[in-house]
Amino acid sequence: MNVIAHGGVGSPREMDDDVLKAVRKGVVDDDVFGTVIDVVCALEDDPIFNAGTGSRMRLDGSIQMDAAVMYGGEVGAVGCLEKVKNPVKVAAEVYKGPYVFLVGQDAERFARGMGFESYDPSTEKRGEELLKMQNKLGEHQELKKVYDMVDGGDTVGCVASLDGEYAAAVSTGGTSFCIRGRVGDSPLVGCGFYAGEHGAVVTTGKGEEIIKRLSAYRCYAGIPEYGLKGACEMVVEEFTDGASLGVIAVGEEGVASASSKQMSQASL
Ligand code: ASP
């Protein structure tokens, strides 16, 4: 099996070991789908990352999380999900159908129905970050100006392949300076992730820019023509205007990644 995971564009390479720990913990023999879910779950459980426990807070101090999985032509996703430990596991329940994407309080209700207990993913570190954000807003007054400088961070994702089968999973607490209800690229098919017959791709960076460019699908679609690494580089090269993009991918050639700035990652 080939597996690669990331810890968010902008995260230092010193965090590679933390990503590797999650990859080692999550690999499930002969099961690409189980692997991407379990690796992302392990990353969600590590408070250093902005997903699950340790997710970034919204400007009002609440936490809303997005996650998605894709495998075998099927997708499961959740947006603005609150008070669960592992959003990616809820996305994996959505994956079983008949729906593709559940959001907000109704996604939470769905999770409770599936047996997910109420859980507070907040950490002290994110509380301190929130205070800094609120102070910054106080100084600048204008949310748009501050948000223009935002660049993603510490979101997690994993892709895996085995015998021509490809799977992707992603999870995030969103970027900084997010209001409630904001959804980025991560749970949107073709934006934050894609998996099909050529391979699987997961992206990280400023969701608003990734959504407009459909980066995950366009990377995936570029694999036959540009090769795995070339397709990753092609979508990253489009991010020249201040926003950053990170991409990981698996395909026939193995694993590849590209990013416009440092991005912690690990592969097996
Ligand atoms: N893409 C995520 C979002 O915009 C953030 C990230 O990748 O760090 O919600």
Side-chain angles (χ1 to χ4, degrees):
M1 188 181 318
N2 285 315
V3 189
I4 181 166
H6 74 76
V9 72
S11 60
R13 297 302 302 258
E14 289 79 56
M15 281 161 68
D16 283 4
D17 282 349
D18 302 280
V19 181
L20 184 60
K21 222 187 289 164
V23 171
R24 290 215 171 106
K25 195 171 172 198
V27 168
V28 181
D29 283 346
D30 301 329
D31 180 0
V32 274
F33 191 42
T35 293
V36 294
I37 293 168
D38 285 4
V39 170
V40 167
C41 221
L43 291 162
E44 286 178 338
D45 289 343
D46 184 340
I48 200 173
F49 299 107
N50 169 27
T53 305
S55 285
R56 224 180 265 284
M57 290 174 179
R58 305 280 160 150
L59 282 169
D60 69 344
S62 62
I63 291 176
Q64 294 188 307
M65 301 166 286
D66 305 330
V69 295
M70 185 165 186
Y71 171 63
E74 298 293 338
V75 170
V78 288
C80 290
L81 176 61
E82 295 182 67
K83 299 186 185 105
V84 300
K85 187 164 190 260
N86 293 109
V88 74
K89 281 193 181 168
V90 183
E93 288 297 329
V94 176
Y95 171 92
K96 292 175 186 166
Y99 314 112
V100 160
F101 191 17
L102 295 180
V103 297
Q105 286 181 348
D106 298 300
E108 189 182 330
R109 199 166 299 135
F110 169 84
R112 299 284 173 256
M114 289 290 153
F116 292 87
E117 283 170 14
S118 182
Y119 177 82
D120 176 8
S122 66
T123 58
E124 213 171 292
K125 180 184 144 211
R126 295 299 181 190
E128 286 160 14
E129 261 180 34
L130 174 67
L131 283 180
K132 282 189 198 145
M133 282 194 279
Q134 287 167 339
N135 287 341
K136 204 162 185 181
L137 262 185
E139 287 159 23
H140 290 261
Q141 295 297 327
E142 205 186 318
L143 180 56
K144 186 178 179 320
K145 251 191 215 156
V146 181
Y147 197 68
D148 281 347
M149 294 186 284
V150 163
D151 212 7
D154 307 345
T155 283
V156 304
C158 179
V159 288
S161 72
L162 181 70
D163 298 334
E165 294 209 329
Y166 302 103
V170 57
S171 184
T172 185
T175 58
S176 41
F177 297 101
C178 276
I179 58 166
R180 284 180 65 79
R182 179 268 185 189
V183 176
D185 59 302
S186 303
L188 302 182
V189 62
C191 302
F193 64 96
Y194 199 82
E197 59 179 339
H198 306 314
V201 176
V202 163
T203 63
T204 167
K206 191 172 183 180
E208 284 71 15
E209 298 308 316
I210 299 172
I211 291 170
K212 287 183 261 180
R213 293 168 166 100
L214 282 174
S215 300
Y217 182 73
R218 291 189 34 262
C219 175
Y220 167 81
I223 295 171
E225 191 176 347
Y226 303 109
L228 202 60
K229 180 80 179 162
C232 292
E233 284 169 350
M234 175 192 71
V235 286
V236 167
E237 276 160 19
E238 293 177 351
F239 279 65
T240 50
D241 48 3
S244 298
L245 178 70
V247 191
I248 52 169
V250 283
E252 246 178 30
E253 301 163 62
V255 302
S257 70
S259 59
S260 47
K261 62 180 182 186
Q262 60 180 349
M263 175 175 76
S264 62
Q265 56 195 276
S267 58
L268 274 187

